[in-house]
PDB file of all heavy atoms in Angstrom:
ATOM      1  N   SER Z 235      47.659 -40.448 -98.360  1.00 97.00           N
ATOM      2  CA  SER Z 235      47.003 -41.530 -98.879  1.00 97.00           C
ATOM      3  C   SER Z 235      45.555 -41.105 -99.283  1.00 97.00           C
ATOM      4  O   SER Z 235      45.166 -41.517-100.487  1.00 97.00           O
ATOM      5  CB  SER Z 235      46.898 -42.674 -97.877  1.00 97.00           C
ATOM      6  OG  SER Z 235      46.139 -43.857 -98.299  1.00 97.00           O
ATOM      7  N   ASN Z 236      44.821 -40.375 -98.558  1.00 96.00           N
ATOM      8  CA  ASN Z 236      43.560 -39.987 -98.904  1.00 96.00           C
ATOM      9  C   ASN Z 236      43.515 -39.030-100.089  1.00 96.00           C
ATOM     10  O   ASN Z 236      42.725 -39.037-100.939  1.00 96.00           O
ATOM     11  CB  ASN Z 236      42.819 -39.166 -97.675  1.00 96.00           C
ATOM     12  CG  ASN Z 236      42.527 -40.140 -96.573  1.00 96.00           C
ATOM     13  OD1 ASN Z 236      42.334 -41.339 -96.701  1.00 96.00           O
ATOM     14  ND2 ASN Z 236      42.310 -39.600 -95.326  1.00 96.00           N
ATOM     15  N   MET Z 237      44.523 -38.163-100.141  1.00 97.00           N
ATOM     16  CA  MET Z 237      44.692 -37.280-101.317  1.00 97.00           C
ATOM     17  C   MET Z 237      44.876 -37.939-102.553  1.00 97.00           C
ATOM     18  O   MET Z 237      44.127 -37.748-103.625  1.00 97.00           O
ATOM     19  CB  MET Z 237      45.765 -36.207-101.066  1.00 97.00           C
ATOM     20  CG  MET Z 237      46.112 -35.321-102.173  1.00 97.00           C
ATOM     21  SD  MET Z 237      47.473 -34.327-101.892  1.00 97.00           S
ATOM     22  CE  MET Z 237      48.806 -35.534-101.892  1.00 97.00           C
ATOM     23  N   VAL Z 238      45.878 -38.929-102.567  1.00 97.00           N
ATOM     24  CA  VAL Z 238      46.160 -39.701-103.778  1.00 97.00           C
ATOM     25  C   VAL Z 238      44.935 -40.489-104.093  1.00 97.00           C
ATOM     26  O   VAL Z 238      44.619 -40.651-105.375  1.00 97.00           O
ATOM     27  CB  VAL Z 238      47.273 -40.575-103.621  1.00 97.00           C
ATOM     28  CG1 VAL Z 238      47.480 -41.596-104.766  1.00 97.00           C
ATOM     29  CG2 VAL Z 238      48.588 -39.747-103.370  1.00 97.00           C
ATOM     30  N   GLU Z 239      44.181 -41.221-103.211  1.00 96.00           N
ATOM     31  CA  GLU Z 239      43.052 -41.945-103.507  1.00 96.00           C
ATOM     32  C   GLU Z 239      41.988 -41.075-104.105  1.00 96.00           C
ATOM     33  O   GLU Z 239      41.356 -41.455-105.085  1.00 96.00           O
ATOM     34  CB  GLU Z 239      42.544 -42.623-102.204  1.00 96.00           C
ATOM     35  CG  GLU Z 239      41.402 -43.605-102.434  1.00 96.00           C
ATOM     36  CD  GLU Z 239      42.003 -44.892-102.998  1.00 96.00           C
ATOM     37  OE1 GLU Z 239      43.176 -45.252-103.009  1.00 96.00           O
ATOM     38  OE2 GLU Z 239      41.165 -45.563-103.704  1.00 96.00           O
ATOM     39  N   SER Z 240      41.744 -39.850-103.591  1.00 96.00           N
ATOM     40  CA  SER Z 240      40.835 -38.917-104.132  1.00 96.00           C
ATOM     41  C   SER Z 240      41.150 -38.573-105.577  1.00 96.00           C
ATOM     42  O   SER Z 240      40.296 -38.475-106.453  1.00 96.00           O
ATOM     43  CB  SER Z 240      40.668 -37.803-103.220  1.00 96.00           C
ATOM     44  OG  SER Z 240      39.970 -36.722-103.732  1.00 96.00           O
ATOM     45  N   PHE Z 241      42.426 -38.237-105.818  1.00 97.00           N
ATOM     46  CA  PHE Z 241      42.765 -37.791-107.172  1.00 97.00           C
ATOM     47  C   PHE Z 241      42.670 -39.013-108.097  1.00 97.00           C
ATOM     48  O   PHE Z 241      42.189 -38.629-109.251  1.00 97.00           O
ATOM     49  CB  PHE Z 241      44.386 -37.449-107.047  1.00 97.00           C
ATOM     50  CG  PHE Z 241      44.983 -37.024-108.378  1.00 97.00           C
ATOM     51  CD1 PHE Z 241      44.696 -35.802-108.867  1.00 97.00           C
ATOM     52  CD2 PHE Z 241      45.758 -37.946-109.042  1.00 97.00           C
ATOM     53  CE1 PHE Z 241      45.215 -35.328-109.983  1.00 97.00           C
ATOM     54  CE2 PHE Z 241      46.363 -37.531-110.271  1.00 97.00           C
ATOM     55  CZ  PHE Z 241      46.070 -36.213-110.778  1.00 97.00           C
ATOM     56  N   LEU Z 242      42.928 -40.109-107.741  1.00 96.00           N
ATOM     57  CA  LEU Z 242      42.922 -41.379-108.658  1.00 96.00           C
ATOM     58  C   LEU Z 242      41.449 -41.730-109.067  1.00 96.00           C
ATOM     59  O   LEU Z 242      41.064 -42.314-109.947  1.00 96.00           O
ATOM     60  CB  LEU Z 242      43.685 -42.496-108.162  1.00 96.00           C
ATOM     61  CG  LEU Z 242      45.144 -42.187-108.196  1.00 96.00           C
ATOM     62  CD1 LEU Z 242      45.820 -43.450-107.505  1.00 96.00           C
ATOM     63  CD2 LEU Z 242      45.783 -41.965-109.529  1.00 96.00           C
ATOM     64  N   LYS Z 243      40.559 -41.303-108.159  1.00 96.00           N
ATOM     65  CA  LYS Z 243      39.043 -41.547-108.304  1.00 96.00           C
ATOM     66  C   LYS Z 243      38.382 -40.268-108.996  1.00 96.00           C
ATOM     67  O   LYS Z 243      37.220 -40.299-109.219  1.00 96.00           O
ATOM     68  CB  LYS Z 243      38.432 -41.669-106.922  1.00 96.00           C
ATOM     69  CG  LYS Z 243      38.717 -43.023-106.315  1.00 96.00           C
ATOM     70  CD  LYS Z 243      37.957 -43.163-104.980  1.00 96.00           C
ATOM     71  CE  LYS Z 243      38.221 -44.453-104.256  1.00 96.00           C
ATOM     72  NZ  LYS Z 243      37.524 -44.612-103.004  1.00 96.00           N
ATOM     73  N   ASP Z 244      39.270 -39.367-109.504  1.00 95.00           N
ATOM     74  CA  ASP Z 244      38.782 -38.251-110.210  1.00 95.00           C
ATOM     75  C   ASP Z 244      37.785 -37.369-109.380  1.00 95.00           C
ATOM     76  O   ASP Z 244      36.904 -36.563-109.810  1.00 95.00           O
ATOM     77  CB  ASP Z 244      37.947 -38.569-111.492  1.00 95.00           C
ATOM     78  CG  ASP Z 244      38.926 -39.237-112.473  1.00 95.00           C
ATOM     79  OD1 ASP Z 244      40.030 -38.656-112.605  1.00 95.00           O
ATOM     80  OD2 ASP Z 244      38.448 -39.947-113.229  1.00 95.00           O
ATOM     81  N   GLU Z 245      38.023 -37.434-108.111  1.00 97.00           N
ATOM     82  CA  GLU Z 245      37.207 -36.571-107.142  1.00 97.00           C
ATOM     83  C   GLU Z 245      37.777 -35.171-107.104  1.00 97.00           C
ATOM     84  O   GLU Z 245      39.000 -35.082-107.348  1.00 97.00           O
ATOM     85  CB  GLU Z 245      37.152 -37.129-105.711  1.00 97.00           C
ATOM     86  CG  GLU Z 245      36.450 -38.550-105.745  1.00 97.00           C
ATOM     87  CD  GLU Z 245      36.518 -39.146-104.422  1.00 97.00           C
ATOM     88  OE1 GLU Z 245      37.345 -38.702-103.468  1.00 97.00           O
ATOM     89  OE2 GLU Z 245      35.760 -40.237-104.200  1.00 97.00           O
ATOM     90  N   VAL Z 246      37.089 -34.162-106.802  1.00 97.00           N
ATOM     91  CA  VAL Z 246      37.622 -32.712-106.708  1.00 97.00           C
ATOM     92  C   VAL Z 246      37.491 -32.271-105.316  1.00 97.00           C
ATOM     93  O   VAL Z 246      36.421 -32.443-104.581  1.00 97.00           O
ATOM     94  CB  VAL Z 246      36.787 -31.887-107.730  1.00 97.00           C
ATOM     95  CG1 VAL Z 246      37.253 -30.452-107.504  1.00 97.00           C
ATOM     96  CG2 VAL Z 246      36.979 -32.343-109.143  1.00 97.00           C
ATOM     97  N   TYR Z 247      38.557 -31.724-104.794  1.00 96.00           N
ATOM     98  CA  TYR Z 247      38.607 -31.007-103.523  1.00 96.00           C
ATOM     99  C   TYR Z 247      39.365 -29.761-103.724  1.00 96.00           C
ATOM    100  O   TYR Z 247      40.548 -29.653-104.089  1.00 96.00           O
ATOM    101  CB  TYR Z 247      39.319 -31.888-102.438  1.00 96.00           C
ATOM    102  CG  TYR Z 247      39.300 -31.178-101.123  1.00 96.00           C
ATOM    103  CD1 TYR Z 247      38.278 -31.176-100.256  1.00 96.00           C
ATOM    104  CD2 TYR Z 247      40.524 -30.420-100.776  1.00 96.00           C
ATOM    105  CE1 TYR Z 247      38.398 -30.582 -99.039  1.00 96.00           C
ATOM    106  CE2 TYR Z 247      40.624 -29.746 -99.534  1.00 96.00           C
ATOM    107  CZ  TYR Z 247      39.516 -29.888 -98.734  1.00 96.00           C
ATOM    108  OH  TYR Z 247      39.536 -29.158 -97.515  1.00 96.00           O
ATOM    109  N   ILE Z 248      38.662 -28.655-103.492  1.00 96.00           N
ATOM    110  CA  ILE Z 248      39.185 -27.311-103.608  1.00 96.00           C
ATOM    111  C   ILE Z 248      38.865 -26.629-102.277  1.00 96.00           C
ATOM    112  O   ILE Z 248      37.845 -26.255-101.932  1.00 96.00           O
ATOM    113  CB  ILE Z 248      38.660 -26.523-104.785  1.00 96.00           C
ATOM    114  CG1 ILE Z 248      38.713 -27.098-106.129  1.00 96.00           C
ATOM    115  CG2 ILE Z 248      39.245 -25.095-104.719  1.00 96.00           C
ATOM    116  CD1 ILE Z 248      40.167 -27.421-106.491  1.00 96.00           C
ATOM    117  N   GLU Z 249      40.082 -26.296-101.474  1.00 94.00           N
ATOM    118  CA  GLU Z 249      39.913 -25.595-100.242  1.00 94.00           C
ATOM    119  C   GLU Z 249      39.444 -24.158-100.401  1.00 94.00           C
ATOM    120  O   GLU Z 249      39.853 -23.428-101.366  1.00 94.00           O
ATOM    121  CB  GLU Z 249      41.451 -25.728 -99.633  1.00 94.00           C
ATOM    122  CG  GLU Z 249      41.343 -25.086 -98.201  1.00 94.00           C
ATOM    123  CD  GLU Z 249      42.805 -25.321 -97.688  1.00 94.00           C
ATOM    124  OE1 GLU Z 249      43.762 -24.620 -98.237  1.00 94.00           O
ATOM    125  OE2 GLU Z 249      43.017 -26.130 -96.893  1.00 94.00           O
ATOM    126  N   LYS Z 250      38.655 -23.793 -99.527  1.00 90.00           N
ATOM    127  CA  LYS Z 250      38.102 -22.516 -99.697  1.00 90.00           C
ATOM    128  C   LYS Z 250      39.034 -21.411 -99.134  1.00 90.00           C
ATOM    129  O   LYS Z 250      39.473 -21.543 -97.934  1.00 90.00           O
ATOM    130  CB  LYS Z 250      36.715 -22.272 -98.887  1.00 90.00           C
ATOM    131  CG  LYS Z 250      35.610 -23.074 -99.530  1.00 90.00           C
ATOM    132  CD  LYS Z 250      34.310 -22.905 -98.839  1.00 90.00           C
ATOM    133  CE  LYS Z 250      33.157 -23.610 -99.540  1.00 90.00           C
ATOM    134  NZ  LYS Z 250      31.861 -23.541 -98.836  1.00 90.00           N
ATOM    135  N   GLU Z 251      39.509 -20.564 -99.899  1.00 87.00           N
ATOM    136  CA  GLU Z 251      40.503 -19.443 -99.415  1.00 87.00           C
ATOM    137  C   GLU Z 251      39.866 -18.159 -99.896  1.00 87.00           C
ATOM    138  O   GLU Z 251      39.563 -17.845-101.087  1.00 87.00           O
ATOM    139  CB  GLU Z 251      41.806 -19.644-100.107  1.00 87.00           C
ATOM    140  CG  GLU Z 251      42.424 -21.040 -99.715  1.00 87.00           C
ATOM    141  CD  GLU Z 251      43.759 -21.195-100.417  1.00 87.00           C
ATOM    142  OE1 GLU Z 251      44.251 -20.261-101.301  1.00 87.00           O
ATOM    143  OE2 GLU Z 251      44.223 -22.377-100.250  1.00 87.00           O
ATOM    144  N   SER Z 252      39.778 -17.219 -98.964  1.00 90.00           N
ATOM    145  CA  SER Z 252      39.100 -15.878 -99.265  1.00 90.00           C
ATOM    146  C   SER Z 252      40.023 -15.139-100.100  1.00 90.00           C
ATOM    147  O   SER Z 252      41.118 -14.962-100.037  1.00 90.00           O
ATOM    148  CB  SER Z 252      39.054 -15.174 -97.827  1.00 90.00           C
ATOM    149  OG  SER Z 252      38.767 -13.730 -98.064  1.00 90.00           O
ATOM    150  N   LEU Z 253      39.327 -14.635-101.224  1.00 88.00           N
ATOM    151  CA  LEU Z 253      39.940 -13.835-102.094  1.00 88.00           C
ATOM    152  C   LEU Z 253      40.476 -12.494-101.514  1.00 88.00           C
ATOM    153  O   LEU Z 253      41.639 -11.997-101.861  1.00 88.00           O
ATOM    154  CB  LEU Z 253      39.014 -13.338-103.350  1.00 88.00           C
ATOM    155  CG  LEU Z 253      39.534 -12.433-104.421  1.00 88.00           C
ATOM    156  CD1 LEU Z 253      40.771 -13.041-105.060  1.00 88.00           C
ATOM    157  CD2 LEU Z 253      38.501 -12.177-105.455  1.00 88.00           C
ATOM    158  N   TYR Z 254      39.712 -11.821-100.672  1.00 90.00           N
ATOM    159  CA  TYR Z 254      40.019 -10.653-100.042  1.00 90.00           C
ATOM    160  C   TYR Z 254      41.339 -10.855 -99.171  1.00 90.00           C
ATOM    161  O   TYR Z 254      42.302 -10.156 -99.258  1.00 90.00           O
ATOM    162  CB  TYR Z 254      38.924 -10.255 -99.093  1.00 90.00           C
ATOM    163  CG  TYR Z 254      39.349  -8.988 -98.281  1.00 90.00           C
ATOM    164  CD1 TYR Z 254      39.388  -7.645 -98.744  1.00 90.00           C
ATOM    165  CD2 TYR Z 254      39.633  -9.286 -96.849  1.00 90.00           C
ATOM    166  CE1 TYR Z 254      39.879  -6.671 -97.837  1.00 90.00           C
ATOM    167  CE2 TYR Z 254      40.003  -8.165 -96.008  1.00 90.00           C
ATOM    168  CZ  TYR Z 254      40.161  -6.899 -96.546  1.00 90.00           C
ATOM    169  OH  TYR Z 254      40.403  -5.931 -95.637  1.00 90.00           O
ATOM    170  N   VAL Z 255      41.320 -11.914 -98.402  1.00 92.00           N
ATOM    171  CA  VAL Z 255      42.487 -12.317 -97.508  1.00 92.00           C
ATOM    172  C   VAL Z 255      43.686 -12.470 -98.359  1.00 92.00           C
ATOM    173  O   VAL Z 255      44.933 -12.064 -98.090  1.00 92.00           O
ATOM    174  CB  VAL Z 255      42.250 -13.453 -96.555  1.00 92.00           C
ATOM    175  CG1 VAL Z 255      43.473 -13.838 -95.716  1.00 92.00           C
ATOM    176  CG2 VAL Z 255      41.067 -12.992 -95.617  1.00 92.00           C
ATOM    177  N   THR Z 256      43.404 -13.219 -99.526  1.00 92.00           N
ATOM    178  CA  THR Z 256      44.614 -13.520-100.359  1.00 92.00           C
ATOM    179  C   THR Z 256      45.208 -12.330-100.865  1.00 92.00           C
ATOM    180  O   THR Z 256      46.457 -12.247-100.922  1.00 92.00           O
ATOM    181  CB  THR Z 256      44.113 -14.445-101.567  1.00 92.00           C
ATOM    182  OG1 THR Z 256      43.502 -15.670-101.065  1.00 92.00           O
ATOM    183  CG2 THR Z 256      45.283 -14.810-102.479  1.00 92.00           C
ATOM    184  N   GLU Z 257      44.406 -11.387-101.368  1.00 92.00           N
ATOM    185  CA  GLU Z 257      44.923 -10.168-102.026  1.00 92.00           C
ATOM    186  C   GLU Z 257      45.683  -9.314-101.020  1.00 92.00           C
ATOM    187  O   GLU Z 257      46.701  -8.832-101.248  1.00 92.00           O
ATOM    188  CB  GLU Z 257      43.975  -9.438-102.621  1.00 92.00           C
ATOM    189  CG  GLU Z 257      43.300 -10.053-103.991  1.00 92.00           C
ATOM    190  CD  GLU Z 257      44.299 -10.338-105.103  1.00 92.00           C
ATOM    191  OE1 GLU Z 257      45.144  -9.409-105.296  1.00 92.00           O
ATOM    192  OE2 GLU Z 257      44.319 -11.417-105.669  1.00 92.00           O
ATOM    193  N   LEU Z 258      45.109  -9.415 -99.716  1.00 93.00           N
ATOM    194  CA  LEU Z 258      45.722  -8.593 -98.623  1.00 93.00           C
ATOM    195  C   LEU Z 258      47.097  -9.211 -98.356  1.00 93.00           C
ATOM    196  O   LEU Z 258      48.098  -8.402 -98.127  1.00 93.00           O
ATOM    197  CB  LEU Z 258      44.802  -8.627 -97.448  1.00 93.00           C
ATOM    198  CG  LEU Z 258      45.414  -7.887 -96.123  1.00 93.00           C
ATOM    199  CD1 LEU Z 258      45.588  -6.479 -96.468  1.00 93.00           C
ATOM    200  CD2 LEU Z 258      44.380  -8.106 -95.061  1.00 93.00           C
ATOM    201  N   CYS Z 259      47.204 -10.637 -98.285  1.00 92.00           N
ATOM    202  CA  CYS Z 259      48.398 -11.239 -97.957  1.00 92.00           C
ATOM    203  C   CYS Z 259      49.429 -10.967 -99.029  1.00 92.00           C
ATOM    204  O   CYS Z 259      50.636 -10.808 -98.731  1.00 92.00           O
ATOM    205  CB  CYS Z 259      48.211 -12.721 -97.738  1.00 92.00           C
ATOM    206  SG  CYS Z 259      47.279 -13.060 -96.190  1.00 92.00           S
ATOM    207  N   LYS Z 260      49.089 -10.960-100.302  1.00 92.00           N
ATOM    208  CA  LYS Z 260      49.959 -10.676-101.411  1.00 92.00           C
ATOM    209  C   LYS Z 260      50.528  -9.301-101.110  1.00 92.00           C
ATOM    210  O   LYS Z 260      51.684  -9.080-101.478  1.00 92.00           O
ATOM    211  CB  LYS Z 260      49.393 -10.761-102.752  1.00 92.00           C
ATOM    212  CG  LYS Z 260      48.991 -12.196-103.150  1.00 92.00           C
ATOM    213  CD  LYS Z 260      48.023 -12.311-104.279  1.00 92.00           C
ATOM    214  CE  LYS Z 260      48.397 -11.659-105.464  1.00 92.00           C
ATOM    215  NZ  LYS Z 260      47.465 -11.800-106.663  1.00 92.00           N
ATOM    216  N   LEU Z 261      49.772  -8.284-100.814  1.00 94.00           N
ATOM    217  CA  LEU Z 261      50.257  -6.998-100.623  1.00 94.00           C
ATOM    218  C   LEU Z 261      51.228  -6.909 -99.438  1.00 94.00           C
ATOM    219  O   LEU Z 261      52.205  -6.201 -99.585  1.00 94.00           O
ATOM    220  CB  LEU Z 261      49.059  -6.070-100.404  1.00 94.00           C
ATOM    221  CG  LEU Z 261      49.385  -4.588-100.206  1.00 94.00           C
ATOM    222  CD1 LEU Z 261      50.083  -3.905-101.359  1.00 94.00           C
ATOM    223  CD2 LEU Z 261      47.906  -3.813 -99.879  1.00 94.00           C
ATOM    224  N   VAL Z 262      50.762  -7.532 -98.359  1.00 94.00           N
ATOM    225  CA  VAL Z 262      51.787  -7.457 -97.232  1.00 94.00           C
ATOM    226  C   VAL Z 262      53.038  -8.106 -97.475  1.00 94.00           C
ATOM    227  O   VAL Z 262      54.159  -7.525 -97.128  1.00 94.00           O
ATOM    228  CB  VAL Z 262      51.023  -8.111 -96.011  1.00 94.00           C
ATOM    229  CG1 VAL Z 262      51.931  -8.373 -94.808  1.00 94.00           C
ATOM    230  CG2 VAL Z 262      49.701  -7.440 -95.590  1.00 94.00           C
ATOM    231  N   TYR Z 263      53.038  -9.214 -98.225  1.00 94.00           N
ATOM    232  CA  TYR Z 263      54.171  -9.942 -98.630  1.00 94.00           C
ATOM    233  C   TYR Z 263      55.230  -8.933 -99.405  1.00 94.00           C
ATOM    234  O   TYR Z 263      56.292  -8.893 -99.223  1.00 94.00           O
ATOM    235  CB  TYR Z 263      53.868 -11.252 -99.298  1.00 94.00           C
ATOM    236  CG  TYR Z 263      55.065 -12.050 -99.783  1.00 94.00           C
ATOM    237  CD1 TYR Z 263      56.227 -12.206 -98.925  1.00 94.00           C
ATOM    238  CD2 TYR Z 263      55.182 -12.760-101.045  1.00 94.00           C
ATOM    239  CE1 TYR Z 263      57.303 -13.097 -99.167  1.00 94.00           C
ATOM    240  CE2 TYR Z 263      56.266 -13.547-101.339  1.00 94.00           C
ATOM    241  CZ  TYR Z 263      57.125 -13.752-100.545  1.00 94.00           C
ATOM    242  OH  TYR Z 263      58.300 -14.566-100.709  1.00 94.00           O
ATOM    243  N   LYS Z 264      54.441  -8.313-100.370  1.00 93.00           N
ATOM    244  CA  LYS Z 264      55.254  -7.419-101.240  1.00 93.00           C
ATOM    245  C   LYS Z 264      55.822  -6.254-100.391  1.00 93.00           C
ATOM    246  O   LYS Z 264      57.009  -5.865-100.602  1.00 93.00           O
ATOM    247  CB  LYS Z 264      54.303  -6.796-102.380  1.00 93.00           C
ATOM    248  CG  LYS Z 264      54.939  -5.964-103.391  1.00 93.00           C
ATOM    249  CD  LYS Z 264      54.046  -5.475-104.419  1.00 93.00           C
ATOM    250  CE  LYS Z 264      54.752  -4.624-105.442  1.00 93.00           C
ATOM    251  NZ  LYS Z 264      53.871  -4.174-106.518  1.00 93.00           N
TER     252      LYS Z 264
END
Side-chain angles (χ1 to χ4, degrees):
S235 178
N236 289 340
M237 176 182 63
V238 171
E239 190 71 21
S240 175
F241 179 76
L242 294 177
K243 288 181 178 179
D244 291 329
E245 296 173 349
V246 175
Y247 177 84
I248 304 297
E249 187 174 66
K250 293 183 179 179
E251 299 176 6
S252 165
L253 176 60
Y254 171 77
V255 176
T256 302
E257 292 301 316
L258 178 61
C259 291
K260 285 166 61 178
L261 178 61
V262 171
Y263 185 39
K264 184 177 182 180

